[in-house]
Amino acid sequence: MNEIYQASDLASGKLAALTPPARLSVFGDPVAHSKSPVFHNAALRASGIDAQYVKIHVRPQELPAALRALPAAGFLGTNITIPHKAGALAAVDEADDYARKSGAVNTVVVKAGQLLGFNTDGPGLLRAIREEFSADLRDLRVLLLGAGGGAGRAIAVQCAMEKCRRLVLVNRTAEKAAHLAAELAPFFQRGPTDRILAIPHEDQFLREQLAHTDLIINATSVGMKPADAPLLPASLLTSSLLVFDTVYAHDKTRLVTDAEAAGARAANGLSMLLHQGALSFEIWFDRPAPLDIMRAALQSAT
Ligand code: NAP
C-alpha cells in the first residue's frame, strides 16, 4: 500500500483493478512523503468499505486531466497536496465558500460526474487547537507566521471566519501579509481597531506583538529540515504562550523544543494532519470518521 502510482494509471484501469480497488487518493508532486494513506486505509478497513487510498504522483501540467479522469476511474474523490491546492480550485466544477476564500482545495468529491472542492486544512487546525490546548480559536489572540503561504492563508481565513480576538499576520515577504490583512479586515470590524494587522518578520515587531498574543502558529516551511535556522529567537518565547507548529516532520521541531524550554505549551502539526484527514473522510462518506483508529495508525507510522 506504499506504492506510488502515476497520473496515467487513472485512465488505464490499473487502479480500479487493485484489491481492494483504489477509490481515493492523494495527488502531489512530490507525493512519497504523504502519510495520508496510512490513516485513510485504516479508516476504510475499520469502516468495512471495500476501497483503498493510494498515492498518485501528478505533475502540475497533468493536474486538470488527472482530476477529470477521476469519475471514469470509479473514484469517490481525492486529496490534493503540494503544489496543487490552488490549481485544484481552478479545476473543480464547484468549491465551497471556505475553499474559495482560502484560494485552495485539498479535498475533491466526485458527485454525479462533477468535481466538488473543499478545504479541510483550516477546520482541521481548529479541531487540533481544541484537542491540543482545550481552547477555541475565537477566544484567542493569534500570531500567524507564514501568512503568505498556502497553509498560512487557509489558517488566516479560518481565524477570520472564527472571528478570533486578534490576528497578527507575519510573513518573510511582508507585502503578502499586508494584502491578506487588508482582505480580511471586514471580519474584524467590531471592537478595538487593531484586531487585525500585518508585521514584518523581524524581531523588534515580533517582540512587541508577542506581548499581546495567546497562540503562535507556525505555517512557514521552516523546521521541516533539522538543519533549518530557528524561526524566531528562543528568547521571545514565554511560558504564557501556546505554540502550534504545523510542521510535523519531527516529533519535536525546533520551535516546539524552544517553546517547551520556555515553559510554554506546544504541539507539532500531526493533530492538524489527522483532523484534516478525518474531515475529508466525513465529506466523502457523510459519516463520522473512526478518529481513534486513524490516530493509532498515524502514531504507529511516525
Ligand atoms: P508555501 O505555500 O510554500 O509557503 C511557505 C511559507 O513559508 C511562506 O509564507 C514563506 O514566506 C515562508 N517561508 C519559507 N521559508 C522561510 C524562511 N526561511 N523564513 C521565514 N519564512 C519562510 O507552503 P505551504 O503549503 O503553505 O506549507 C507551509 C507549511 O505548512 C509546511 O511546513 C507544511 O508542512 C505545513 N502544513 C501542515 C499541514 C498539517 O496538516 N499539519 C497542512 C498543510 C501545510 P514567503 O512568502 O516570504 O516566501
Side-chain angles (χ1 to χ4, degrees):
M1 286 207 180
N2 211 20
E3 197 161 337
I4 297 171
Y5 296 94
Q6 302 301 315
S8 55
D9 293 329
L10 276 165
S12 73
K14 180 174 179 179
L15 297 173
L18 296 174
T19 308
R23 301 269 184 240
L24 292 165
S25 60
V26 54
F27 287 5
D29 180 22
V31 75
H33 66 281
S34 175
K35 297 187 193 300
S36 295
V38 170
F39 57 79
H40 276 300
N41 281 317
L44 291 167
R45 277 193 300 273
S47 305
I49 298 169
D50 185 34
Q52 68 172 291
Y53 181 113
V54 295
K55 297 180 200 180
I56 305 184
H57 183 206
V58 176
R59 294 168 184 81
Q61 66 276 18
E62 297 172 325
L63 179 66
L67 284 168
R68 287 289 145 207
L70 290 173
F75 270 57
L76 305 167
T78 189
N79 280 136
I80 304 288
T81 189
I82 288 174
H84 297 316
K85 291 182 187 179
L89 175 67
V92 294
D93 298 300
E94 277 178 46
D96 79 345
D97 182 47
Y98 171 66
R100 275 186 275 107
K101 285 197 173 82
S102 302
V105 158
N106 81 338
T107 305
V108 174
V109 181
V110 178
K111 197 166 184 186
Q114 298 275 292
L115 302 175
L116 311 182
F118 300 86
N119 190 327
T120 63
D121 282 338
L125 173 90
L126 181 74
R127 288 191 183 185
I129 296 296
R130 274 190 200 134
E131 179 177 299
E132 300 285 2
F133 304 129
S134 308
D136 268 311
L137 278 181
R138 65 167 175 265
D139 299 323
L140 299 173
R141 297 170 298 172
V142 179
L143 183 138
L144 172 63
L145 295 142
R153 183 183 171 87
I155 290 169
V157 170
Q158 187 71 41
C159 290
M161 289 171 73
E162 290 298 309
K163 297 193 162 41
C164 69
R165 282 181 58 203
R166 190 160 188 265
L167 181 59
V168 178
L169 300 177
V170 189
N171 202 57
R172 178 179 61 178
T173 312
E175 308 84 70
K176 291 193 204 167
H179 283 136
L180 187 56
E183 194 184 320
L184 297 179
F187 287 93
F188 293 91
Q189 276 167 347
R190 293 203 173 161
T193 49
D194 68 345
R195 281 187 60 215
I196 181 159
L197 68 155
I199 60 167
H201 192 141
E202 292 171 23
D203 293 357
Q204 68 187 89
F205 293 100
L206 290 170
R207 183 176 293 108
E208 207 172 288
Q209 292 307 322
L210 284 173
H212 311 284
T213 295
D214 303 308
L215 170 67
I216 298 178
I217 301 174
N218 171 32
T220 76
S221 40
V222 177
M224 293 182 79
K225 299 190 209 92
D228 281 349
L231 183 61
L232 72 180
S235 60
L236 296 184
L237 299 168
T238 58
S239 61
S240 62
L241 288 164
L242 305 174
V243 178
F244 189 84
D245 192 345
T246 69
V247 174
Y248 54 82
H250 321 282
D251 182 26
K252 300 264 183 197
T253 60
R254 174 75 178 261
L255 179 61
V256 168
T257 306
D258 286 350
E260 287 180 345
R265 290 166 67 197
N268 76 5
L270 267 188
S271 52
M272 176 177 167
L273 179 71
L274 172 71
H275 285 291
Q276 62 78 30
L279 285 156
S280 294
F281 184 98
E282 289 171 14
I283 290 170
W284 289 321
F285 297 108
D286 197 21
R287 62 160 119 162
L291 197 60
D292 290 344
I293 285 165
M294 295 173 84
R295 190 193 316 275
L298 184 56
Q299 279 165 353
S300 68
T302 52

